[in-house]
């Protein structure tokens, strides 16, 4: 192979690695911007696993948005060859840090998954380490031969693209904080039949009861009548039935006495509102007037209303009552499940016959009239 062919091949390899890095960073930054609170919860997992202190949610939210912005703009910069030397060095430094972090995660296993791609693509710690090693190698190669990166845009257009990217990713992240993620990959997205999703998550078994007489075997199902007394019972066989092809969801709610009320919520006909407050002690109190008005409105309409929280202690519930004037009862659920159902503190979920038809964050809660319009849309004359 002559030197010209080698040079051409090297150029192709460098630009393929460049494209791999760019697409990965853009994708990773975008999914973080799509679900900033999901990134906050993953950062909380890291802090709890690796440090003895805690950090304020507002600080972690700022970090989540900043991380989304950094990864997205880094990917765009690599893709379009902006400041190739500096960008390639930043790419190497970033991948060295991420690879060292994933080596620790792989060995110590402080979290189940790194959260690199949010809920869109969940990787094991081993797969994450392998992915970062490949990306680190690509980043080193791109940095070593940064001059071989091809230009796709002129200098002026590059900066215009950079400005648009900055405005887009920050604006998109803010929108998803206020109005909830545009793309929802969790098992509680709008349109999910939660009733079916929860039931399909329960293990089902096919039961066969075996009898024998004169060397013959009789196999009956649990619904069949028992044979006459001349047959001798042998055994009961239970085999697990494959779940139906439905999205599954873990959803369990108990009342103050610890009694399971999950079916009461899911099997209720008509409209049911779930006010979800993962932690009563640090929830947003700025929206409580709307919450109380909604509760009164729902009571007038005789719809179902449940306030779900993980705060079981009376102190937290008393604190919320004193600060908000809440008049509703509290139902207990696991905190991470509540944070998965809706990204809000508090958040609101509308169920209609067990189907999730709408969700709101604490920043865009509806009025009673808006809720009525959502449930019974009318045509304006």
């Amino acid at each position: 192979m002559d030197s010209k062919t080698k040079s051409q091949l090297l150029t192709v390899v460098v630009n393929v690695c460049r494209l791999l890095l760019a697409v990965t960073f853009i994708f990773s930054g975008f999914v973080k911007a799509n679900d900033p609170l999901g990134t906050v919860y993953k950062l909380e997992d890291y802090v709890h696993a690796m440090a003895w202190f805690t950090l304020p949610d507002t600080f972690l939210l700022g970090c989540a948005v900043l991380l989304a912005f950094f990864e997205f703009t880094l990917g765009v910069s690599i893709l379009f060859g902006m400041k190739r030397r500096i960008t390639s060095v930043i790419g190497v430094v970033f991948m060295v840090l991420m690879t060292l972090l994933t080596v620790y995660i792989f060995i110590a296993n402080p979290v189940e998954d790194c959260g690199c791609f949010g809920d869109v693509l969940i990787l094991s710690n081993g797969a994450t380490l392998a992915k970062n090693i490949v990306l680190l190698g690509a980043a080193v190669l791109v940095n070593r031969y940064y001059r071989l990166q091809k230009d796709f845009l002129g200098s002026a257009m590059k900066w215009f693209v950079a400005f648009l990217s900055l405005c887009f990713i920050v604006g998109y992240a803010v929108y998803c904080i206020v109005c909830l993620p545009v793309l929802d990959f969790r098992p509680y997205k709008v349109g999910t039949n939660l009733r079916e999703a929860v039931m399909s998550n329960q293990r089902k078994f096919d039961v066969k009861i075996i009898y024998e007489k004169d060397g013959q075997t009789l196999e009956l199902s649990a619904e069949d009548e028992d044979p006459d007394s001349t047959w001798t019972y042998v055994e009961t066989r239970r085999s697990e039935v494959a779940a139906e092809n439905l999205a599954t969801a873990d959803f369990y709610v108990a009342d103050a006495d610890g009694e399971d009320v999950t079916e009461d919520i899911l099997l209720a006909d008509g409209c049911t509102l779930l006010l979800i407050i993962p932690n009563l002690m640090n929830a947003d109190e700025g929206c409580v007037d709307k919450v109380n008005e909604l509760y009164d409105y729902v009571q007038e309409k005789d719809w179902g209303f449940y306030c779900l929280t993980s705060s079981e202690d009376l102190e937290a519930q008393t604190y919320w009552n004193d600060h908000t004037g809440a008049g509703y009862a509290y139902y207990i659920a696991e905190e991470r499940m509540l944070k998965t159902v809706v990204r809000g503190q508090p958040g609101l979920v509308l169920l209609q016959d067990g189907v999730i038809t709408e969700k709101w964050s604490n920043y865009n809660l509806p009025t009673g009239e808006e809720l009525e319009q959502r449930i019974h849309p009318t045509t304006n004359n």
Side-chain angles (χ1 to χ4, degrees), residues 130-311:
K131 180 259 297 179
N132 282 355
I133 291 174
V134 171
L135 292 177
L136 176 59
V140 170
L141 189 63
V142 170
N143 179 60
R144 174 69 177 81
Y145 300 101
Y146 70 93
R147 290 188 178 88
L148 296 181
Q149 297 180 60
K150 297 294 184 181
D151 281 332
F152 300 125
L153 297 173
S155 179
M157 186 58 70
K158 286 180 182 179
W159 289 108
F160 179 68
V161 169
F163 176 74
L164 286 182
S165 301
L166 185 154
C167 293
F168 167 75
I169 202 65
V170 174
Y172 186 70
V174 172
Y175 179 85
C176 290
I177 293 171
V178 174
C179 299
L180 301 182
V182 174
L183 303 175
D184 194 345
F185 298 93
R186 291 161 290 154
Y188 305 97
K189 59 180 176 290
V190 172
T192 298
N193 189 322
L194 192 56
R195 185 184 300 173
E196 291 184 356
V198 172
M199 298 308 174
S200 69
N201 200 30
Q202 298 175 352
R203 298 178 68 188
K204 298 179 181 179
F205 295 87
D206 180 41
V207 179
K208 298 296 183 183
I209 304 173
I210 312 302
Y211 292 88
E212 185 181 47
K213 182 176 73 170
D214 299 332
Q216 294 183 330
T217 300
L218 179 64
E219 186 177 282
L220 301 177
S221 66
E223 293 77 20
D224 295 330
E225 294 184 2
D226 293 338
D228 60 57
S229 58
T230 61
W231 289 85
T232 303
Y233 168 78
V234 178
E235 63 176 336
T236 299
R237 297 173 183 168
R238 300 168 75 244
S239 57
E240 189 168 358
V241 179
E244 299 177 19
N245 188 24
L246 294 169
T248 61
D250 293 318
F251 188 82
Y252 178 83
V253 182
D255 63 16
D257 297 322
E259 296 294 325
D260 185 358
V261 295
T262 307
E263 289 191 0
D264 295 341
I265 296 173
L266 299 181
L267 299 181
D269 294 326
C271 300
T272 301
L273 268 88
L274 306 180
L275 175 65
I276 294 182
I277 313 178
N279 190 325
L280 295 172
M281 297 299 289
N282 60 17
D284 177 18
E285 298 177 16
C287 61
V288 294
D289 288 339
K290 271 193 173 182
V291 170
N292 292 338
E293 289 172 6
L294 274 172
Y295 176 68
D296 294 337
Y297 190 86
V298 168
Q299 292 296 102
E300 292 176 5
K301 295 292 183 178
D302 199 28
W303 298 335
F305 186 98
Y306 295 85
C307 177
L308 311 186
T309 180
S310 66
S311 300

Side-chain angles (χ1 to χ4, degrees), residues 316-335:
Q317 296 176 10
T318 302
Y319 171 88
W320 184 255
N321 289 340
D322 292 343
H323 284 74
T324 67
Y328 36 79
Y330 299 102
Y331 296 84
I332 308 303
E334 196 270 326
E335 183 175 8

Side-chain angles (χ1 to χ4, degrees), residues 62-78:
C63 291
V65 175
L66 184 62
L67 182 59
F69 161 75
F70 174 79
E71 289 188 339
F72 189 85
T73 54
L74 178 60
V76 170
S77 298
I78 293 174

